[in-house]
Amino acid sequence: MTLDLAKNIANMQEDFIVVFKGEEIILTNSSFNKFFGVSSTEEYNRNFGTFVDNFVPHPSYFNAQKINDNELWFESIMKLDELNRVVSILSQEHEPHAYSVSINEDLGELRIVTFKDITQSLIKRIMIENNANIDKKTGAYTKQYFLQVDKSYEEAAVFNEKIIALAFVDISDNEMNSDDIKTFVLNFKSYIRQDDMLIKWSDSKFLLAFLVDDIQKTQAVIEKLQNSFKKLNNFNYTLKSIHQTGDETIQKLIKNLADT
């Protein structure tokens, strides 16, 4: 395959395609060039320094500080589990994006590196459900699991350019057995999005964590839930919500919500 043909094929891809010869970049596709604001591979090489300097030095993602001694960056990243082959790169507008990295090393001295934008799917990744994460009696997430992933949830909000909103869902006014509570959770979850998290916080209280575009959307979500549940007359509950107004952590939001 000629380099021109390879470039034409690469330009048809939405993912970033970068071909390395050693540490030298010899081909970049249109998606890559557009992201970095250049018209060609040659212009990128003229305007940018060492490639790994593009990787945000965040401890949760692969970056220059994680390159092993006497190794090239792609040799070090390939030693990680596939799930951890993720880098963060800033756009021209200094917006963070997350990319999973795959490397084809079947072309001798050439390496074809593909960067797939997973920014929008980070929340789903950190909320993989399994038996250890779900409260078996209710079907909601466990409090312990949520407190383990709260930092990742905060990072996902930053990557997705959202703000975090929380709401306590109080069912203390009901006389409910375990089956009733499980039914309540099942019905409640049918009215929230897949990426929203409903957490069992205590015997009579749940915490709902969700991301919104702006402050106004928080109240819109709460009103939607309140209106939706008018159809379910068997259950009475109250909602009390809060949202980020700055860079508050989830722990801070929970404390403020409990104090209101």
Side-chain angles (χ1 to χ4, degrees):
M1 181 184 297
T2 67
L3 196 60
D4 287 340
L5 178 58
K7 187 172 185 177
N8 289 335
I9 295 174
N11 284 339
M12 298 171 63
Q13 309 301 313
E14 292 184 5
D15 299 333
F16 296 168
I17 308 295
V18 185
V19 179
F20 287 85
K21 185 176 182 180
E23 293 189 271
E24 178 189 1
I25 295 177
I26 63 171
L27 185 148
T28 56
N29 69 340
S30 296
S31 296
F32 179 95
N33 294 340
K34 182 178 179 180
F35 182 87
F36 285 99
V38 297
S39 60
S40 65
T41 303
E42 292 74 22
E43 183 178 356
Y44 173 84
N45 285 332
R46 286 196 305 269
N47 296 348
F48 290 83
T50 305
F51 182 73
V52 294
D53 290 343
N54 292 311
F55 301 161
V56 177
H58 190 287
S60 296
Y61 306 97
F62 181 85
N63 59 74
Q65 298 172 5
K66 297 186 178 183
I67 300 175
N68 299 323
D69 292 340
N70 301 317
E71 287 185 349
L72 301 177
W73 74 267
F74 30 74
E75 295 171 334
S76 292
I77 199 172
M78 288 299 288
K79 291 182 178 180
L80 300 177
D81 293 337
E82 184 176 353
L83 196 62
N84 294 322
R85 296 172 192 166
V86 178
V87 298
S88 173
I89 303 176
L90 296 180
S91 70
Q92 298 175 73
E93 294 76 26
H94 302 286
E95 298 172 345
H97 290 252
Y99 296 91
S100 63
V101 179
S102 59
I103 301 174
N104 185 325
E105 299 181 286
D106 297 332
L107 297 177
E109 61 180 345
L110 300 182
R111 289 179 173 86
I112 301 176
V113 184
T114 302
F115 297 85
K116 182 177 182 61
D117 193 329
I118 61 169
T119 307
Q120 296 299 321
S121 62
L122 270 181
I123 296 175
K124 293 181 180 179
R125 170 180 165 178
I126 67 170
M127 294 192 302
I128 298 172
E129 295 186 9
N130 59 52
N131 291 335
N133 302 334
I134 301 299
D135 178 63
K136 294 180 181 179
K137 292 183 179 180
T138 65
Y141 286 102
T142 64
K143 182 177 180 179
Q144 180 182 17
Y145 172 64
F146 180 67
L147 295 178
Q148 287 175 343
V149 303
D150 61 350
K151 297 300 182 186
S152 296
Y153 199 84
E154 291 166 5
E155 291 171 7
V158 172
F159 272 108
N160 284 276
E161 299 179 351
K162 308 285 187 181
I163 63 173
I164 298 171
L166 302 177
F168 272 137
V169 184
D170 193 334
I171 59 173
S172 59
D173 290 339
N174 298 268
E175 293 184 6
M176 303 168 71
N177 58 36
S178 58
D179 288 338
D180 291 333
I181 295 176
K182 195 165 189 175
T183 299
F184 173 83
V185 169
L186 183 63
N187 288 332
F188 196 96
K189 289 171 69 175
S190 70
Y191 286 99
I192 62 178
R193 301 165 301 181
Q194 183 179 358
D195 291 337
D196 299 339
M197 296 186 73
L198 184 65
I199 304 104
K200 182 185 177 185
W201 206 252
S202 67
D203 289 339
S204 61
K205 188 176 291 185
F206 293 84
L207 180 70
L208 176 64
F210 56 102
L211 301 184
V212 290
D213 294 324
D214 51 53
I215 293 172
Q216 288 72 26
K217 292 291 178 63
T218 303
Q219 190 58 37
V221 170
I222 297 301
E223 290 177 358
K224 178 183 176 181
L225 289 173
Q226 290 172 330
N227 292 332
S228 297
F229 259 73
K230 289 178 181 178
K231 305 173 185 177
L232 303 173
N233 297 323
N234 293 332
F235 305 109
N236 297 313
Y237 74 100
T238 59
L239 281 174
K240 184 171 63 173
S241 64
I242 196 170
H243 52 72
Q244 287 178 316
T245 57
D247 58 356
E248 299 97 331
T249 64
I250 286 177
Q251 296 284 355
K252 179 65 174 177
L253 289 174
I254 292 173
K255 182 180 184 304
N256 291 345
L257 184 59
D259 290 342
T260 58

